[in-house]
Amino acid sequence: MRKLSIMVAVVLAMALCASSAFADKLQEIKDRGVLICGVKDAVVPFGYIDENSKQLVGMDIDVCNYIAKQLGVKAEFKPVTSATRIPMLVQGSIDLAAATMTHKIARDDTIDFSITYFMDGQKLLVKKGSGIKSAADLKGQKVGTAKGSTSEQNILKVQPDTKVLSFEGYPQAFLALKQGKVKAVTTDSTILLGLKNSDPDPAGWEIVGDFISPEPYGLGLPENESNFRDAVNFALIEMWKSGDYQKVYDKWFGPDTKYALPLTWQMELWP
């Protein structure tokens, strides 16, 4: 009888392990009833705290809410930075990262990505009248950006004779520009637009130069969770086809906003 009890216990343990092994991220999220999204909380207009409502708002927040609704769950948000978003995703403390993250091949070694949900390019933010018009003018100068961003490497590729100072976030890099510690801030043009137009004197700053590099944003997803990745991609495609993406885009980047930017690219749509 004792041997039988032990065998039953072993079989039950094996069944439990098998169940855990086959339980995927999508099912885990549905069982939990919550999609945990890692978003930035200081990058206008993608993710930031609204000074009037004191609520977390932005385009990435709206995208996450749409995906959560398509999955039949609620969205919950955790703040991330350029440096913490991938480690938090790998550790499982967030389900996806909607955090102005460029899809780069090197990052595919660690995480997966959705299809591109936003297209941008890297530029420079400088003091108006500084004389800096492109990366070529930064020779021997200091430039600020955020830790863990692709901008750190990209600027050095086009101007190896500049010194990059990396800050915790873009607001800190912009503050360094105001204080004269750097001659420019470099990152994606929409983030620079948010910094510039959130300043009390936006006319005192200008975004200059051609695109240093293309920046296709993808949602960061856990590695090897194809069911979840498919569900996120299907939600993004539906968002575009239904016209809801255009509505959200216009809310943050439309002609009547402070961050007006024409929508000139097409999301990848699967038949």
Side-chain angles (χ1 to χ4, degrees):
M1 180 62 74
R2 186 181 176 189
K3 288 183 178 180
L4 181 61
S5 297
I6 293 173
M7 290 180 63
V8 169
V10 169
V11 170
L12 287 173
M14 292 177 64
L16 182 61
C17 290
S19 175
S20 299
F22 287 106
D24 63 14
K25 173 61 73 170
L26 180 60
Q27 191 60 52
E28 175 190 324
I29 292 166
K30 289 187 174 183
D31 290 344
R32 186 199 306 145
V34 174
L35 174 69
I36 305 173
C37 305
V39 297
K40 292 185 175 178
D41 61 1
V43 177
V44 180
F46 287 96
Y48 65 102
I49 304 298
D50 180 72
E51 60 182 19
N52 296 318
S53 68
K54 308 304 179 186
Q55 298 296 310
L56 183 63
V57 298
M59 178 153 183
D60 280 342
I61 281 70
D62 288 349
V63 168
C64 285
N65 279 324
Y66 184 92
I67 293 172
K69 185 177 180 181
Q70 291 295 108
L71 297 182
V73 299
K74 294 181 179 179
E76 179 181 301
F77 300 97
K78 287 187 178 182
V80 300
T81 65
S82 295
T84 64
R85 57 195 174 187
I86 291 179
M88 288 178 69
L89 190 58
V90 172
Q91 292 161 8
S93 57
I94 57 175
D95 298 321
L96 65 78
T100 64
M101 182 157 54
T102 302
H103 185 177
K104 293 179 71 75
I105 290 176
R107 287 174 170 162
D108 279 314
D109 290 338
T110 309
I111 63 172
D112 282 338
F113 282 88
S114 70
I115 56 176
T116 298
Y117 77 101
F118 194 92
M119 180 63 73
D120 200 0
Q122 184 176 338
K123 287 195 173 188
L124 303 172
L125 176 65
V126 299
K127 187 178 179 65
K128 194 161 189 178
S130 68
I132 295 174
K133 299 298 180 184
S134 70
D137 299 320
L138 288 174
K139 184 174 182 179
Q141 303 288 351
K142 295 176 181 177
V143 60
T145 190
K147 294 176 185 176
S149 67
T150 55
S151 306
E152 290 177 303
Q153 294 80 37
N154 293 339
I155 188 65
L156 288 173
K157 288 178 183 177
V158 297
Q159 181 47 276
D161 293 325
T162 191
K163 182 176 181 180
V164 178
L165 299 185
S166 297
F167 299 86
E168 193 61 36
Y170 297 111
Q172 292 88 339
F174 189 29
L175 178 60
L177 176 61
K178 293 179 182 181
Q179 295 173 337
K181 296 178 180 178
V182 297
K183 294 293 288 186
V185 174
T186 186
T187 186
D188 309 338
S189 68
T190 45
I191 298 176
L192 297 179
L193 189 63
L195 292 173
K196 174 181 181 291
N197 289 345
S198 296
D199 189 71
D201 180 26
W205 311 95
E206 57 184 346
I207 298 169
V208 300
D210 295 327
F211 280 144
I212 293 170
S213 68
E215 303 293 331
Y217 290 179
L219 300 173
L221 303 170
E223 183 87 332
N224 300 323
E225 291 286 352
S226 61
N227 287 342
F228 180 42
R229 186 174 66 247
D230 285 346
V232 169
N233 284 333
F234 296 160
L236 288 173
I237 290 171
E238 180 59 29
M239 189 177 187
W240 183 280
K241 289 168 67 176
S242 67
D244 288 319
Y245 183 93
Q246 181 77 60
K247 292 176 184 176
V248 169
Y249 187 92
D250 287 344
K251 175 181 174 182
W252 300 106
F253 296 101
D256 297 327
T257 70
K258 292 198 298 183
Y259 317 106
L261 188 73
L263 182 58
T264 58
W265 64 281
Q266 173 80 25
M267 187 180 288
E268 177 187 354
L269 301 179
W270 303 342

